[in-house]
Amino acid sequence: MRILLIHNYYQQPGGEDAVFEQEAGLLRDAGVTVETLTFTNESFDGTLVRTLRSGVKALYNTQSGKRLDQVIARFRPDLVHIHNLFYTASASVIRVARQRKVPVVMTLHNYRLVCVSGLLMREGLVPCETCLSQTIALAGIRHACFRESYLQSAQLSLTTLLHKLTGIWRSVNRFVVLTEFARQKILQSSLKLRPDQVVVKPNFVADVGAADVEHRQAFFLFIGRLSAEKGIDVLLDAARARSFPLRILGDGPLATEVMRAAAAHPTIDYQGWQSRTAVIDALKTCRALIVPSVWYEGLPTVLLEAFAAGTPIICSDQDNLNQIITDGQTGLLFRTGDSNDLIRAVGQVDEQPELRRKLARHSRLEYVRYSKEAAREAIIRLYTDTIQSAGGRTSAQGLPPEPPDQVTAQNPA
């Protein structure tokens, strides 16, 4: 099997980049012949002229299409898997692949195709589904949901609108989402996709090894961005009221508020941004991980790593999260935004050793669904089914490919 992976790096590194690189390694380890074609958004520098010029490229970048056409002619893939095409790659990579009769899989790491912010939330409204079923995201423009820019929000809305009207999104063979909740949202959206076009394939994390629940310390743990949608205010209100030992790792716009709380309450320990080694160590030594988010989230890596570590989890019952965590089994759920109910859950975990053992045991068992082995099986099955449903033949078949060098195609300056 010959797979071409396509990814557009944003200007700031993020989780999508890590998933793209992890899946490339996973496939190669499984004996799949892989080549990667990557793009960057260096031309999006924020100036008006460059923003307008880049907006046109984001709509349909013929240069990106030509690059893909050359790689397909040389590599002759059985399938193209797109992780991100915003903004330099553009939808031209879908059109070229389909013209070449190569099946296309595209992972939706967020809701960018139906929401200008990409997150189904905006300032003052978390979560927000105003634009989900709208052909044109007028509210996203009105509220400047993309980078707080009316111009860039309008450009993005126009881009996704025109591609909806031309049907290019519906030409993708399979869209991959991370949870069943996300699948239902996409199927309810203005994309008007067929149910068989949208499949669930979660991300995976490395096995960090389960830690014995009997030898953990007494502190509770928060890891992540310090922002309103993460439920920081709910977390701090609970910690102030009950005075339980709380360690907070991360950074973000509410860091000053967290520092003030830590200065006033000795049970709150704010340690700022930490290395991955320190994060994993905290996960393996805490009494429980707290996830108080008030937005939909996607599939938080910290939850998957908590599963791997056999760490008890206390989580808000927000939609999507309540499908990842099974209340009373893989974690305890509390009412979203309710600090008193969070205190109730903390008290249960703190005072009931047998409950902690049960949650730790089921948490570790749940990790099997997000292991490297499960991911490898799922992605190979997805590719095989997609190729077969596309007719079992591509432009690659019957033609001798050039020897693969598996060298990433770099974006020209």
Side-chain angles (χ1 to χ4, degrees), residues 110-259:
N110 53 47
Y111 297 96
R112 185 77 66 201
L113 300 189
V114 293
C115 171
V116 174
S117 77
L119 302 172
L120 292 184
M121 68 178 188
R122 64 174 170 82
E123 185 71 28
L125 188 58
V126 181
C128 173
E129 297 185 17
T130 304
C131 297
L132 181 65
S133 59
Q134 302 299 310
T135 303
I136 179 170
L138 291 175
I141 301 172
R142 186 167 62 252
H143 296 286
C145 290
F146 182 62
R147 295 181 177 176
E148 300 181 342
S149 165
Y150 294 104
L151 175 59
Q152 292 185 56
S153 296
Q155 287 180 332
L156 181 55
S157 295
L158 177 62
T159 297
T160 55
L161 167 65
L162 292 180
H163 292 321
K164 289 175 191 175
L165 296 177
T166 60
I168 197 165
W169 305 129
R170 292 194 297 276
S171 72
V172 173
N173 297 77
R174 296 286 188 277
F175 283 100
V176 175
V177 293
L178 305 183
T179 66
E180 180 59 29
F181 173 85
R183 179 174 181 270
Q184 292 304 319
K185 290 301 176 188
I186 291 299
L187 290 176
Q188 295 164 13
S189 75
S190 56
L191 296 177
K192 301 187 186 316
L193 302 176
R194 303 185 314 274
D196 65 290
Q197 276 183 281
V198 188
V199 300
V200 178
K201 185 191 73 62
N203 295 331
F204 72 95
V205 294
D207 188 355
V208 300
D212 188 347
V213 71
E214 305 296 341
H215 294 93
R216 290 174 176 266
Q217 299 175 30
F219 71 92
F220 291 79
L221 178 67
F222 172 89
I223 300 171
R225 178 173 165 80
L226 306 182
S227 53
E229 71 274 8
K230 292 290 188 177
I232 297 300
D233 289 345
V234 179
L235 178 68
L236 294 179
D237 285 347
R240 294 185 188 107
R242 193 177 190 274
S243 297
F244 59 87
L246 172 65
R247 184 178 300 177
I248 298 176
L249 309 184
D251 200 357
L254 296 184
T256 300
E257 183 177 338
V258 173
M259 285 188 281

